[in-house]
Amino acid sequence: MTEIIDSIKKIAIEISDAIKSKDTGKVESTNASGDIQVKLDVISDEIAEKYLLDTSSVKEIISEEKEKPITKESGKYFVAYDPLDGSSLIDVDLSVGSIFGIYENGYDGEDIKAAVYVVYGPRVEMVVARDVVELFRLNEKTNEFEFIKELKLEKKGKILGPGGTQKYWYPYHKEMIDNFFKEGYRLRYSGGMVPDLHQILLKGGGLFAYPGTEDKPKGKLRKLFEVFPFAYVYKKAGGFGVDGYNDLLTLKAEHYHDTTPCFFGSEYEINKVLQTYKGQK
Ligand code: AHM
Ligand code: MG
């Protein structure tokens, strides 16, 4: 596992350099989820692939940019990753990220054994979730990630990141979001789940929601590359990740690019979500 985390550090440094120096334009292709790719999506995917396939404990890799996994003869762990999440924010110079889920035996929620994400913002930060959740920051002078602190969520936060097209929100979802704002929650939504969830985690709590909607009942975010890794991070930090009804980590993945509605947050907010969604299915 340490070997994989060391590889992810190298990937993060190289992707961060690519973000700073390479073309931010689009390519004439879509990825396996049907999104338009930017050149940096492709470059970042190649960087991650190169280091992960060279890591002896890695058995298989699959990414948001790949249709099918690449499997090796030996190794133990299955790594599912989104090399450049929020890449539509690249051309407006907002923070983006990379997400890695480290699985054993398969890609269901229960198979995830560790999760790592990287935020490329004014600074490069990396969060590693194993038994505990640890924050590291890249020292640009030494090119080393330095340990900063352990991260823990409070029972209740003050900020809210409500995703999905509001026009298509279910009425009970809209009412719940309105109620949070009436309670005094403040809006924090950049359109990049990595910085948005990082903010909630570092500020100690709140709610990030990407619900199912009338036009997309299964939501947008992908289980393997985005949802399970963050559900693991939040759980290990003392928070919760649910699909409105159940713990996200109890869900199965029907295919590599399967999506699910998802809510991440601290105890108070997630209880409100569960109360709201109860009986709505
Ligand atoms: P991507 O992997 O194609 O970048 O999409 C994932 C991103 C998340 O980071 C973010 O939370 C979500 O898409 C934003 O979607 P929307 O534009 O619908 O708010
Ligand atoms: Mg993504």
Side-chain angles (χ1 to χ4, degrees):
M1 187 65 78
T2 310
E3 192 199 15
I4 299 178
I5 293 163
D6 285 344
S7 295
I8 295 175
K9 288 180 184 164
K10 291 182 194 144
I11 293 166
I13 292 169
E14 215 167 303
I15 292 179
S16 165
D17 286 344
I19 292 169
K20 287 179 198 147
S21 59
K22 302 268 196 257
D23 188 342
T24 60
K26 295 191 172 51
V27 286
E28 297 301 312
S29 59
T30 52
N31 66 13
S33 307
D35 303 319
I36 296 169
Q37 290 175 303
V38 299
K39 288 177 188 163
L40 275 165
D41 282 321
V42 179
I43 294 169
S44 305
D45 191 40
E46 286 167 1
I47 293 170
E49 176 181 325
K50 175 181 76 182
Y51 284 106
L52 290 172
L53 289 181
D54 203 31
T55 305
S56 63
S57 54
V58 171
K59 167 87 185 149
E60 186 171 287
I61 62 167
I62 172 84
S63 84
E64 194 175 296
E65 310 304 326
K66 297 185 195 307
E67 234 163 90
K68 288 197 180 110
I70 303 175
T71 309
K72 287 163 56 189
E73 299 260 300
S74 59
K76 176 175 176 189
Y77 294 107
F78 294 52
V79 183
Y81 62 94
D82 183 352
L84 198 62
D85 183 74
S87 54
S88 68
L89 302 175
I90 281 279
D91 54 357
V92 291
D93 206 17
L94 283 175
S95 296
V96 291
S98 300
I99 312 165
F100 300 84
I102 301 158
Y103 299 79
E104 232 181 292
N105 303 318
Y107 297 107
D108 290 332
E110 63 182 21
D111 298 323
I112 192 162
K113 297 292 174 281
V116 180
Y117 70 82
V118 183
V119 196
Y120 309 102
R123 297 180 294 216
V124 178
E125 296 197 328
M126 182 169 84
V127 170
V128 179
R130 286 184 278 186
D131 289 338
V132 293
V133 181
E134 295 174 309
L135 172 70
F136 297 84
R137 185 173 299 143
L138 182 65
N139 178 331
E140 305 238 350
K141 292 203 176 87
T142 59
N143 245 4
E144 297 281 340
F145 278 94
E146 293 170 355
F147 173 74
I148 305 293
K149 61 178 174 180
E150 200 179 308
L151 300 176
K152 274 265 164 222
L153 283 159
E154 309 286 340
K155 296 224 176 303
K156 183 180 184 309
K158 296 179 185 149
I159 56 177
L160 183 58
T165 309
Q166 300 193 14
K167 182 179 154 187
Y168 298 119
W169 281 355
Y170 297 121
Y172 51 89
H173 181 82
K174 181 173 170 23
E175 196 184 331
M176 177 185 79
I177 298 293
D178 287 347
N179 284 338
F180 277 120
F181 285 128
K182 280 185 200 147
E183 263 190 64
Y185 280 76
R186 280 166 296 125
L187 177 66
R188 293 290 183 270
Y189 189 80
S190 74
M193 74 182 301
V194 176
D196 288 342
L197 281 162
H198 191 56
Q199 176 164 203
I200 292 171
L201 188 56
L202 268 86
K203 303 260 190 222
L207 178 70
F208 175 92
Y210 208 108
T213 47
E214 279 161 12
D215 61 330
K216 284 186 187 170
K218 289 192 77 181
K220 171 185 182 188
L221 299 174
R222 299 93 177 163
K223 289 176 181 169
L224 269 64
F225 321 113
E226 295 163 328
V227 174
F228 291 158
F230 270 110
Y232 193 84
V233 172
Y234 268 58
K235 187 175 209 165
K236 292 293 176 182
F240 301 85
V242 299
D243 66 353
Y245 310 93
N246 299 301
D247 182 338
L248 289 163
L249 295 178
T250 63
L251 302 184
K252 307 267 178 222
E254 282 161 32
H255 57 88
Y256 296 124
H257 297 272
D258 199 9
T259 63
T260 177
C262 54
F263 304 84
F264 305 92
S266 28
E267 189 180 314
Y268 176 82
E269 294 83 0
I270 294 295
N271 277 336
K272 292 266 179 207
V273 172
L274 294 171
Q275 281 163 22
T276 303
Y277 274 72
K278 200 169 172 194
Q280 296 290 357
K281 219 175 212 172

